[in-house]
Amino acid sequence: MDKDIIDSVKNFRENRNWSQFHNPKDLAISISLEASELLENFQWSGKDLHAEKKRQQIKEELADVLIYSIMMADTMDFELSEIISEKLKINNQKYPVEKAFGKKDKYTEL
Amino acid sequence: MDKDIIDSVKNFRENRNWSQFHNPKDLAISISLEASELLENFQWSGKDLHAEKKRQQIKEELADVLIYSIMMADTMDFELSEIISEKLKINNQKYPVEKAFGKKDKYTEL
Amino acid sequence: MDKDIIDSVKNFRENRNWSQFHNPKDLAISISLEASELLENFQWSGKDLHAEKKRQQIKEELADVLIYSIMMADTMDFELSEIISEKLKINNQKYPVEKAFGKKDKYTEL
Amino acid sequence: MDKDIIDSVKNFRENRNWSQFHNPKDLAISISLEASELLENFQWSGKDLHAEKKRQQIKEELADVLIYSIMMADTMDFELSEIISEKLKINNQKYPVEKAFGKKDKYTEL
C-alpha cells in the first residue's frame, strides 16, 4: 500500500469535509463495525471456512477496514509502516519462533 | 505502507508456520477481535473522544488490526492497493461529494 | 431469568456507584467488547464449532454479555421481556415460517 | 425475563428448524454481529452519549443481542439465571466494593 493510496483515502475524506466527525473514539467504533461487516460473510458458514461465494463482499469489507484504519492513523498522526514494524517487534518477543512455531496458542499459554 | 512492510508481515507468519491456522473465517474473527481491543481503549471514556493517555495502546492495537488485515489479504490473494482503490470508487458513488459534503449520514439516508 | 437476577445485576452496579459511567454509548461499546471475549474462545478453532475445552470460559463470557445487556436495558428504561417479545414479532414478519423454514438466508434474500 | 419469554425464543427457532445452523461458533459470531448493530446507533455521535433519536433502533438491536444470547445458552445447555449469578460472584471478587466503589478502572488496575 503505497503513499498514493494513503493520499487517495485522505483526499476522499477531505473532499467531503468529514474530518470534523472523525474523532478517535468514533473511528475505533467504525473500524469495529466494518470488521463485523467483514465477519458477517462467514455467519452460519459452519465448517465452510472460505465462503467462496462471498469473495467480492469479503474484498469490499476488508477494504473498508483498511480505509478506516488509514483514516484513524492519519487522525492520530501515526505513520502506518512505523506502527506496524514497531508492533511486529513486540509480537516477535511475545511469540518467539522457537516457542510459537506451528502453535496457535496465545502467548500467555506458550 | 510499502512492499517491505507487507513482506515483513508475511515473513512473521511464515517463520512461525501459522498459515495452516489462517483460514478466512478465523482471520475475519481475528480482525474483529483486534478491532475490539482497539475500541477497549475508549470504554468508559464518555465525552473524552481522544483517550490521550492510551495513545501507545491505541497505536499497538491499530497496528494489530492492520497486521491481520494484511495477512487476510495475503490469504485471500487480494492486492491491498487494488482493493482499497476499488472500494474508494464504490464509496465515491455511494457518497457523492455534492450530497455527502459535511454530512455524517449513512448513504441510505442521504 | 427472573426479577431476582435482574435485581442482583442492578444491585451489583449500584453497590459500586457505577451508574455514573454507564451512559448508553459506553454500554453499547461494552456489550460489543464482551461479545468479542465470548467469540475469542472460537478463534483458530477452524472446523471445531464447539470448542468443548472452553466451556467454562464460554459460560462466563456469555454471562457478561447478558449482564451488560441487563444494565443497558435498565439505563435505557427498557423492560427486558417486553423488548424481546416486540422484536420476536418483528422477526416473525421478516422471517415468516413458510419462507424461512430450514433456510439460513438473510431476510433480504428470502 | 421469565420462562415464557425464553420459551418463545426457543419456539421461534424450532418453528423455523434453525437449530441445525446454530452451532456455538456461529452463534458467538451472531451475538457479536448484533452487538455491532446496536453499537452502530452511536457511530459518529461524538459527545452525544444517548442518541435519543435512535431509541427504537437501540431497543430492537439490544433485543437481538438478548435473543441470540438466549439461543446460545439453550444450545450450550446453560441455565440463564445460573450462569449470571455465578458470574456475578466472580465479578464480585474481581471488583470488591471497597476497591471498586466509584472507580471505572479494570480490575487489573484496581
Side-chain angles (χ1 to χ4, degrees), chain A residues 1-33:
Chain A
M1 190 156 59
D2 52 25
K3 193 178 168 311
D4 294 355
I5 277 294
I6 294 175
D7 287 343
S8 61
V9 172
K10 291 184 191 178
N11 292 337
F12 182 88
R13 175 159 78 171
E14 288 323 308
N15 293 339
R16 284 154 186 78
N17 194 24
W18 279 354
S19 295
Q20 59 183 314
F21 309 123
H22 285 200
N23 61 76
K25 188 172 187 169
D26 282 320
L27 281 167
I29 287 173
S30 300
I31 292 170
S32 179
L33 298 183

Side-chain angles (χ1 to χ4, degrees), chain A residues 2-99:
Chain A
D2 52 25
K3 193 178 168 311
D4 294 355
I5 277 294
I6 294 175
D7 287 343
S8 61
V9 172
K10 291 184 191 178
N11 292 337
F12 182 88
R13 175 159 78 171
E14 288 323 308
N15 293 339
R16 284 154 186 78
N17 194 24
W18 279 354
S19 295
Q20 59 183 314
F21 309 123
H22 285 200
N23 61 76
K25 188 172 187 169
D26 282 320
L27 281 167
I29 287 173
S30 300
I31 292 170
S32 179
L33 298 183
E34 295 299 340
S36 285
E37 292 186 17
L38 172 61
L39 183 56
E40 189 173 6
N41 292 294
F42 300 91
Q43 187 185 26
W44 310 131
S45 76
K47 294 184 177 183
D48 167 12
L49 308 177
H50 291 80
E52 280 302 344
K53 290 179 182 173
K54 303 285 192 73
R55 186 172 171 83
Q56 180 59 30
Q57 297 93 306
I58 292 167
K59 183 187 288 186
E60 293 181 14
E61 299 304 343
L62 179 58
D64 276 333
V65 171
L66 285 159
I67 288 167
Y68 271 125
S69 297
I70 292 168
M71 288 174 172
M72 184 161 191
D74 184 50
T75 295
M76 298 290 297
D77 200 22
F78 293 148
E79 201 282 303
L80 283 178
S81 301
E82 197 177 289
I83 68 173
I84 291 172
S85 62
E86 276 180 22
K87 191 53 165 67
L88 285 176
K89 287 200 191 81
I90 294 170
N91 292 349
N92 196 40
Q93 292 175 319
K94 278 175 156 178
Y95 296 94
V97 171
E98 58 277 16
K99 270 193 181 180

Side-chain angles (χ1 to χ4, degrees), chain B residues 31-71:
Chain B
I31 292 170
S32 181
L33 298 183
E34 294 299 339
S36 285
E37 292 186 18
L38 172 60
L39 183 56
E40 189 174 6
N41 291 295
F42 300 92
Q43 186 185 27
W44 311 131
S45 74
K47 294 185 178 183
D48 168 12
L49 307 177
H50 291 80
E52 280 301 346
K53 291 179 181 173
K54 302 285 192 72
R55 186 172 171 84
Q56 180 59 32
Q57 296 95 304
I58 292 167
K59 181 188 288 186
E60 293 181 15
E61 300 304 343
L62 179 59
D64 276 332
V65 171
L66 286 158
I67 288 167
Y68 271 125
S69 297
I70 292 168
M71 288 175 174

Side-chain angles (χ1 to χ4, degrees), chain C residues 1 5 15-16 18 21 24-25 45-46 49 55 64 66 76 80-81 84 87 92 95 100-103, chain D residues 1 5 15-16 18 21 24-25 45-46 49 55 64 66 76 80-81 84 87 92 95 100-103:
Chain C
M1 191 155 56
I5 278 294
N15 293 340
R16 286 155 184 77
W18 279 355
F21 310 123
K25 187 172 188 171
S45 75
L49 307 178
R55 187 173 171 82
D64 276 333
L66 286 159
M76 298 291 296
L80 284 177
S81 302
I84 292 172
K87 190 54 166 65
N92 196 40
Y95 296 94
F101 187 85
K103 298 221 192 82
Chain D
M1 191 154 58
I5 277 294
N15 293 339
R16 286 156 185 76
W18 280 355
F21 308 123
K25 188 171 187 169
S45 76
L49 307 178
R55 187 173 171 82
D64 277 332
L66 286 158
M76 299 290 298
L80 283 177
S81 301
I84 292 172
K87 191 52 165 67
N92 196 39
Y95 296 94
F101 187 85
K103 297 218 191 84

